Structure formats: structure tokens, C-alpha cells
């Protein structure tokens, strides 16, 4: 299973944003929606071997987290408006589990936790962890866990210091995705492509 975790420092954890202006009303949740599409979707389908976590730290209901399971998710369409609608419905769905209860399915293949990174860390299975960081050793030259890799990715502000420290304490290995500072969705595209290539050449 491939797992990707993007941490939105301002991305809203509340459903009360406008679908007509996601960037302006949802703390740049649009970045995370494009990340979700890049990590989970292929042409005409979903990656069944992939889970994507969105850790949401914006707004009064934060922190919360969503998990999308490629094996079981339905109604995940590639356009940003549809993805925003799915996230909005997933954030609004009842019932609300207590904090610390872990991920609860709120839509087919979409799970929600009433906590942020800590809920994600408790949910991750075994596997090597990696932190995508500008200037880190290039992933193309790195040995990678192809079976159960976990990748952490920052948002437009990168990682908050406490998040970077938490991920480092896990033993996550910093990896670079090339010499240029990319948007999170482009960085994850580079990673996914590298994993695809290695899997195909095994
Ligand atoms: C827009 S970048 C963040 C830029 C921010 N100014 C910073 O200092 O981190 C969003 C995220 O994509 C990933 N990323 C972007 N470019 C990368 C690169 N060349 N190598 C590895 N990760 C990258 C990192 O996880 C980063 O936190």
C-alpha cells in the first residue's frame, strides 16, 4: 500500500466554504484537492493500492483529517469542483466521533478523524516513512520501500516546525523531488511516477 499525507496548515476542517471560491474561503484547500487527484487518480480510475490523507489545520473545527482509500472509494472525480464537493460532504457528514476514536467512514471509501497528524500517525500501518523536502537527497537515487511507503508532503508554506520535528522523530527520511521548488501536487506526481517506474521494472 502506498500512502501519502499532505498537511494543510490553513486548509479548512469545516464544511462551510464556498464551492464557488475554494481558494478564498477554504484556506487553500484547493492545493490539497489537486494533491488528492495527483496521488489517487489515474486516467479512468483510482489507484487501488493507494491511500491519501489530508490533515486539515484551518478553521474552528481543526484539527481533523480525511483518508481516501483507492480500493473502495467511489464518486471520486478528477475535476476540482467535484473533489471540493466530496470533501465538503465528508466534513459535514454525521455522526462526529470523539477525538481519539480514529477514522470513521463518512462516504464510500472516505474516512474522517477528529484529529490531525496524530490521528494519521496512529492509522498508518508499517512501512518506511519519507518527508518530501526541497534540497534533500534526490529520490531517484534513493532506495525506496516499494511495498508500503509513506510520504509526508507540506503545503504552500512547507511544514510547520513542530510537524517537521514530529515527522523527523518518526525516522522519516528527507527526500528531494528535483532541484526546483514545486507545488505539492507536482512533487507527489514525481514520487508516484518514480514508484510506477520501479514497480514496472521489477
Ligand atoms: C510549495 S512547496 C513548499 C514551499 C515552501 N516555501 C517551503 O519552504 O517548504 C510544498 C511542498 O511540496 C514538497 N516539495 C516541493 N518541491 C519539492 C522538491 N523539489 N523536492 C521535494 N519536495 C518538494 C514539499 O513537501 C513542500 O513542503
Amino acid at each position: 500500500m502506498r500512502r501519502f499525507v499532505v498537511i494543510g496548515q490553513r486548509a479548512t476542517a469545516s464544511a462551510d466554504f464556498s464551492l464557488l471560491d475554494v481558494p478564498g474561503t477554504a484556506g487553500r484547500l484547493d492545493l490539497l484537492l489537486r494533491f488528492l487527484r495527483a496521488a489517487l487518480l489515474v486516467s479512468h480510475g483510482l489507484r487501488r493500492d493507494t491511500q491519501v490523507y489530508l490533515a486539515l489545520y484551518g478553521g474552528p473545527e481543526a484539527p481533523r483529517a480525511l483518508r481516501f482509500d483507492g480500493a473502495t472509494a467511489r464518486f471520486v472525480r478528477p475535476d476540482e469542483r467535484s473533489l471540493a464537493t466530496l470533501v465538503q460532504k465528508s466534513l459535514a457528514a454525521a455522526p462526529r466521533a470523539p477525538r481519539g476514536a480514529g477514522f470513521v467512514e463518512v462516504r464510500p471509501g472516505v474516512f474522517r478523524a477528529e484529529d490531525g497528524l496524530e490521528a494519521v500517525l496512529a492509522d498508518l500501518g508499517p512501512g518506511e516513512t519519507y518527508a518530501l523536502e526541497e534540497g534533500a537527497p534526490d529520490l531517484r537515487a534513493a532506495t525506496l520501500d516499494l511495498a508500503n511507503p509513506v510520504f509526508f508532503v507540506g503545503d504552500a508554506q512547507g511544514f510547520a516546525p513542530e510537524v517537521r520535528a514530529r515527522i523527523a522523530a518518526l525516522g522519516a527520511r528527507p527526500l528531494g523531488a528535483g532541484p526546483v521548488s514545486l507545488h505539492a501536487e507536482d512533487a507527489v506526481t514525481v514520487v508516484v511516477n518514480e514508484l510506477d517506474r520501479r514497480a514496472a521494472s521489477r
Side-chain angles (χ1 to χ4, degrees), residues 116-178:
L117 182 59
E118 290 308 319
V120 174
L121 298 183
D123 196 60
L124 292 172
E128 289 288 319
T129 52
Y130 307 95
L132 287 192
E133 294 270 24
E134 297 169 26
D138 198 304
L139 67 96
R140 287 200 176 168
T143 305
L144 296 176
D145 173 7
L146 296 183
N148 293 298
V150 180
F151 296 89
F152 295 94
V153 187
D155 67 2
Q157 279 87 45
F159 294 114
E162 64 276 15
V163 167
R164 181 175 280 114
R166 184 73 177 92
I167 295 170
L170 289 178
R173 184 147 53 100
L175 281 182

